[in-house]
Amino acid sequence: MFDVHRKEISWGGRPLVFETGRIARQADGAVMTTYGDTTVLCTAVAQRAAKPGVDFFPLTVNYQEKAFAAGKIPGGFFKREGRPNEKETLTSRLIDRPIRPMFAEGFRNETQVICTVLAHDLDNDPDIVAMVGASAALTISGIPFLGPIAGIRVAYVEDEYLLNPNPAQLAESKLDLVLGGTKEGVLMVESEAAELSEETMLGAVTFGHKEMQPVIDAIIDLAEACAKEPWDLPEVDKGEGVMQELVAPFEKDFRAAYEETSKQVRVEKLEEVKSKLLQAAVDKDMDDTKVLDAAKKLEKGIVRKQILTNGQRIDGRDTKTVRPISAEVGVVPMAHGSALFTRGETQALVVTTLGTGQDEQIIDALEGEYREHFMLHYNFPPYSVGEASFLRSPGRREIGHGKLAWRALRPLMPEKAEFPYTVRVVSEITESNGSSSMATVCGSSLSLMDAGVPVERPIAGIAMGLIKEADDFVVLSDILGDEDHLGDMDFKVAGTDSGITSLQMDIKITGITEEVMEAALCQARDGRMHILGEMSKSIDSSRETVNEHAPRITTITIPKDKIREVIGQGGKVIREITEETGTKIDIDDEGTIKVAATSSEASAAALDWIKDIVAEPEVGVVYDGTVVKTVDFGAFVNFIGNRDGLVHISELSAERVPSVTDVIKEGDEVKVKVLAIDDRGKVRLSMKAVDQETGEEIA
């Protein structure tokens, strides 16, 4: 019934298995990929014909985690998986980036890759399994995919590189690097690092590229055994006729437009040229799409040739110069921390807010539930590029850019025990023409320091580009948006003056060499040092205290057996404290209490209240108390926190007392002295030993 094909190799000390022919047989390609005991079903399907008028490659990649993969039932009311979480969105991007440039030129059929996590052994992350599985599914599908590619994770522990580390090894690692590539070169890099050197990062990429080769060979072997007949490659219309007949006469106009160094002026002139071009196309009854494609090729050739031949860029800079930078802090009143970072025509307004443990983000992942106390959110409103469109919830791009900046900053963030705040950073991109994610890194670093968050050192980021023709290449520092679109690489490096904290690379060609990467890393370091110097003119270290508008958090520790007393039955006591003092109080299972307040008076009031509750009475000490109950033989007085003690009738007064109520009644404020505490914790008190007016002891 089933025509099953299976390929198994040992990779990083664990079995990696590709199996096809048993599940999802109606997909163009379907591969069940298992690494250790983590299993991902990867499928690839493409429509047989492209939709008319489509001028881009409509590829969709969906990575989805099923709760049953980890033996869990989803939380929430509906008890089923809902919209993609952050991990699913980021992994979808992680798979999309290395496979997208590997499809045949001109292939514009709608294509969908779906990777479904079926089992998670909590030791091998499904993201790498999904990446290699997607590559295998595409390779055997017959779809014009020029792979295979492979993915790999690299760690750096005790000066050694580790292949596909487990969670324990990753926790000890100074590096978390995910790499995608082909047999010939690297296509994609995504990483977080603990201020590592350029040499160490390059070594990790080289190590990863070497170690992924057995996987590529295994996919090739699988394809040789069971791949479907390859689709006919699409006929690529080079547009030579359109170029010569219609577009070429406008070359002079395009060159003149690209001589404008201002983006706005350049865009206006390009629109004028294209408007004339399209009118000419109408007059000659030519297809608009083909005309615009030809025009784009002409533009690309103009820009690239100018850079390769004389190093002259669109805005007049050379290949290494960073655009003018302005850095300001404290720009938003009432914010806990804020910064405005401007680099050329790219600008980020970044605001930091400090909260308490109650503001932490609760994340329900396959690996288990955990809390995140550092969040970074990136927003890209349409006005930042002079457009008017609908405001939508953050998409994959916004989530990916925010995560890149988060990775760059996290290695320098203080530990929770050192800085007990929940930190949220929001980056609003107010202008964009070249790497707004790196502007977010710079602005976030400034904003955090302005808020008094004790980051170890300032962090800056820079985006690098590449123009490559045959063996000639030029690396560009601080690329513009047009250079990103028309170039061959988007290479983003963030870090401090001590090393790299994050590296992201995407290649539009079929891979780059170690020589190109080394040149890009060295040039990026020079650019990063320059940006750090410009940032330091505004602020060069964290403020000594948090902003006056931020809550003050004071931490104390109480005995574990006192936690119940502070919380009270049903939370009654702690609720009363917070309502009366206007503070926020967090208590953990170890007895650590964090009191957050906007004023020192409120904080002191809450702390005194808690200290009274947990305080232990001392023999011979005088306390203020309240009579809570009277009985025939004496009165019970609440004198410290929730502790009550007995004042025997004989200790009410120096004179004989016929009846307790002759002296005191419930609710009276009295002064008492602790006479004794027995083995069971019962306290004997005395009123007659204390002057009720002055509180002085009576001999």
Side-chain angles (χ1 to χ4, degrees), residues 596-614:
T598 54
S599 71
S600 56
E601 293 80 7
S603 178
L607 289 169
D608 289 343
W609 197 327
I610 293 169
K611 289 174 182 177
D612 284 345
I613 293 173
V614 302

mmCIF file of all heavy atoms in Angstrom, residues 596-614:
data_model
loop_
_atom_site.group_PDB
_atom_site.id
_atom_site.type_symbol
_atom_site.label_atom_id
_atom_site.label_comp_id
_atom_site.label_asym_id
_atom_site.label_seq_id
_atom_site.Cartn_x
_atom_site.Cartn_y
_atom_site.Cartn_z
ATOM 1 N N ALA A 596 6.732 47.461 45.209
ATOM 2 C CA ALA A 596 6.900 48.518 44.209
ATOM 3 C C ALA A 596 5.978 49.677 44.547
ATOM 4 O O ALA A 596 4.789 49.484 44.808
ATOM 5 C CB ALA A 596 6.579 47.984 42.820
ATOM 6 N N ALA A 597 6.551 50.881 44.546
ATOM 7 C CA ALA A 597 5.758 52.070 44.870
ATOM 8 C C ALA A 597 6.342 53.266 44.151
ATOM 9 O O ALA A 597 7.534 53.293 43.824
ATOM 10 C CB ALA A 597 5.755 52.317 46.372
ATOM 11 N N THR A 598 5.506 54.263 43.902
ATOM 12 C CA THR A 598 5.973 55.479 43.237
ATOM 13 C C THR A 598 6.470 56.522 44.225
ATOM 14 O O THR A 598 6.992 57.551 43.832
ATOM 15 C CB THR A 598 4.842 56.089 42.389
ATOM 16 O OG1 THR A 598 3.689 56.281 43.220
ATOM 17 C CG2 THR A 598 4.480 55.165 41.229
ATOM 18 N N SER A 599 6.300 56.256 45.532
ATOM 19 C CA SER A 599 6.815 57.184 46.543
ATOM 20 C C SER A 599 7.469 56.396 47.662
ATOM 21 O O SER A 599 7.078 55.263 47.962
ATOM 22 C CB SER A 599 5.683 58.045 47.120
ATOM 23 O OG SER A 599 4.822 57.277 47.938
ATOM 24 N N SER A 600 8.468 57.006 48.294
ATOM 25 C CA SER A 600 9.184 56.329 49.377
ATOM 26 C C SER A 600 8.285 56.145 50.591
ATOM 27 O O SER A 600 8.423 55.172 51.342
ATOM 28 C CB SER A 600 10.433 57.133 49.761
ATOM 29 O OG SER A 600 10.075 58.467 50.118
ATOM 30 N N GLU A 601 7.330 57.075 50.801
ATOM 31 C CA GLU A 601 6.426 56.961 51.949
ATOM 32 C C GLU A 601 5.535 55.733 51.831
ATOM 33 O O GLU A 601 5.353 54.987 52.798
ATOM 34 C CB GLU A 601 5.559 58.223 52.065
ATOM 35 C CG GLU A 601 6.304 59.498 52.424
ATOM 36 C CD GLU A 601 6.996 60.127 51.237
ATOM 37 O OE1 GLU A 601 6.781 59.631 50.082
ATOM 38 O OE2 GLU A 601 7.761 61.093 51.422
ATOM 39 N N ALA A 602 4.971 55.514 50.612
ATOM 40 C CA ALA A 602 4.110 54.348 50.409
ATOM 41 C C ALA A 602 4.897 53.057 50.567
ATOM 42 O O ALA A 602 4.426 52.089 51.170
ATOM 43 C CB ALA A 602 3.468 54.412 49.026
ATOM 44 N N SER A 603 6.117 53.043 50.040
ATOM 45 C CA SER A 603 6.954 51.850 50.150
ATOM 46 C C SER A 603 7.275 51.552 51.612
ATOM 47 O O SER A 603 7.188 50.400 52.063
ATOM 48 C CB SER A 603 8.249 52.055 49.363
ATOM 49 O OG SER A 603 9.089 50.938 49.478
ATOM 50 N N ALA A 604 7.627 52.591 52.375
ATOM 51 C CA ALA A 604 7.968 52.407 53.789
ATOM 52 C C ALA A 604 6.764 51.902 54.576
ATOM 53 O O ALA A 604 6.904 51.027 55.445
ATOM 54 C CB ALA A 604 8.476 53.725 54.377
ATOM 55 N N ALA A 605 5.575 52.423 54.259
ATOM 56 C CA ALA A 605 4.374 51.998 54.969
ATOM 57 C C ALA A 605 4.095 50.519 54.740
ATOM 58 O O ALA A 605 3.772 49.770 55.674
ATOM 59 C CB ALA A 605 3.185 52.843 54.528
ATOM 60 N N ALA A 606 4.229 50.074 53.486
ATOM 61 C CA ALA A 606 3.981 48.667 53.175
ATOM 62 C C ALA A 606 5.032 47.767 53.817
ATOM 63 O O ALA A 606 4.711 46.701 54.364
ATOM 64 C CB ALA A 606 3.962 48.471 51.667
ATOM 65 N N LEU A 607 6.288 48.213 53.770
ATOM 66 C CA LEU A 607 7.361 47.402 54.356
ATOM 67 C C LEU A 607 7.201 47.289 55.872
ATOM 68 O O LEU A 607 7.398 46.204 56.448
ATOM 69 C CB LEU A 607 8.723 48.014 54.007
ATOM 70 C CG LEU A 607 9.154 47.879 52.539
ATOM 71 C CD1 LEU A 607 10.367 48.752 52.259
ATOM 72 C CD2 LEU A 607 9.471 46.419 52.214
ATOM 73 N N ASP A 608 6.843 48.397 56.518
ATOM 74 C CA ASP A 608 6.631 48.353 57.969
ATOM 75 C C ASP A 608 5.489 47.403 58.321
ATOM 76 O O ASP A 608 5.564 46.652 59.311
ATOM 77 C CB ASP A 608 6.326 49.756 58.502
ATOM 78 C CG ASP A 608 7.541 50.667 58.470
ATOM 79 O OD1 ASP A 608 8.664 50.139 58.343
ATOM 80 O OD2 ASP A 608 7.369 51.905 58.569
ATOM 81 N N TRP A 609 4.446 47.436 57.527
ATOM 82 C CA TRP A 609 3.302 46.556 57.759
ATOM 83 C C TRP A 609 3.725 45.092 57.665
ATOM 84 O O TRP A 609 3.391 44.264 58.519
ATOM 85 C CB TRP A 609 2.231 46.862 56.704
ATOM 86 C CG TRP A 609 0.851 46.365 57.018
ATOM 87 C CD1 TRP A 609 0.518 45.242 57.709
ATOM 88 C CD2 TRP A 609 -0.383 46.994 56.655
ATOM 89 N NE1 TRP A 609 -0.832 45.114 57.778
ATOM 90 C CE2 TRP A 609 -1.415 46.178 57.148
ATOM 91 C CE3 TRP A 609 -0.695 48.149 55.950
ATOM 92 C CZ2 TRP A 609 -2.756 46.477 56.944
ATOM 93 C CZ3 TRP A 609 -2.029 48.451 55.756
ATOM 94 C CH2 TRP A 609 -3.051 47.634 56.247
ATOM 95 N N ILE A 610 4.491 44.783 56.620
ATOM 96 C CA ILE A 610 4.951 43.397 56.427
ATOM 97 C C ILE A 610 5.888 42.988 57.553
ATOM 98 O O ILE A 610 5.800 41.870 58.086
ATOM 99 C CB ILE A 610 5.648 43.262 55.055
ATOM 100 C CG1 ILE A 610 4.628 43.461 53.927
ATOM 101 C CG2 ILE A 610 6.323 41.900 54.922
ATOM 102 C CD1 ILE A 610 5.261 43.605 52.558
ATOM 103 N N LYS A 611 6.789 43.894 57.914
ATOM 104 C CA LYS A 611 7.735 43.571 58.988
ATOM 105 C C LYS A 611 7.015 43.321 60.308
ATOM 106 O O LYS A 611 7.406 42.451 61.096
ATOM 107 C CB LYS A 611 8.755 44.702 59.144
ATOM 108 C CG LYS A 611 9.741 44.789 57.984
ATOM 109 C CD LYS A 611 10.647 46.010 58.112
ATOM 110 C CE LYS A 611 11.599 46.131 56.935
ATOM 111 N NZ LYS A 611 12.437 47.362 57.017
ATOM 112 N N ASP A 612 5.956 44.080 60.564
ATOM 113 C CA ASP A 612 5.172 43.854 61.781
ATOM 114 C C ASP A 612 4.534 42.464 61.771
ATOM 115 O O ASP A 612 4.467 41.784 62.804
ATOM 116 C CB ASP A 612 4.076 44.914 61.909
ATOM 117 C CG ASP A 612 4.625 46.260 62.369
ATOM 118 O OD1 ASP A 612 5.778 46.283 62.850
ATOM 119 O OD2 ASP A 612 3.915 47.273 62.234
ATOM 120 N N ILE A 613 4.070 42.047 60.564
ATOM 121 C CA ILE A 613 3.411 40.736 60.466
ATOM 122 C C ILE A 613 4.389 39.604 60.746
ATOM 123 O O ILE A 613 4.060 38.631 61.432
ATOM 124 C CB ILE A 613 2.774 40.564 59.073
ATOM 125 C CG1 ILE A 613 1.611 41.552 58.894
ATOM 126 C CG2 ILE A 613 2.289 39.129 58.859
ATOM 127 C CD1 ILE A 613 1.033 41.569 57.493
ATOM 128 N N VAL A 614 5.595 39.719 60.228
ATOM 129 C CA VAL A 614 6.551 38.610 60.332
ATOM 130 C C VAL A 614 7.459 38.734 61.551
ATOM 131 O O VAL A 614 8.221 37.807 61.851
ATOM 132 C CB VAL A 614 7.413 38.510 59.057
ATOM 133 C CG1 VAL A 614 6.541 38.319 57.842
ATOM 134 C CG2 VAL A 614 8.308 39.743 58.885
#
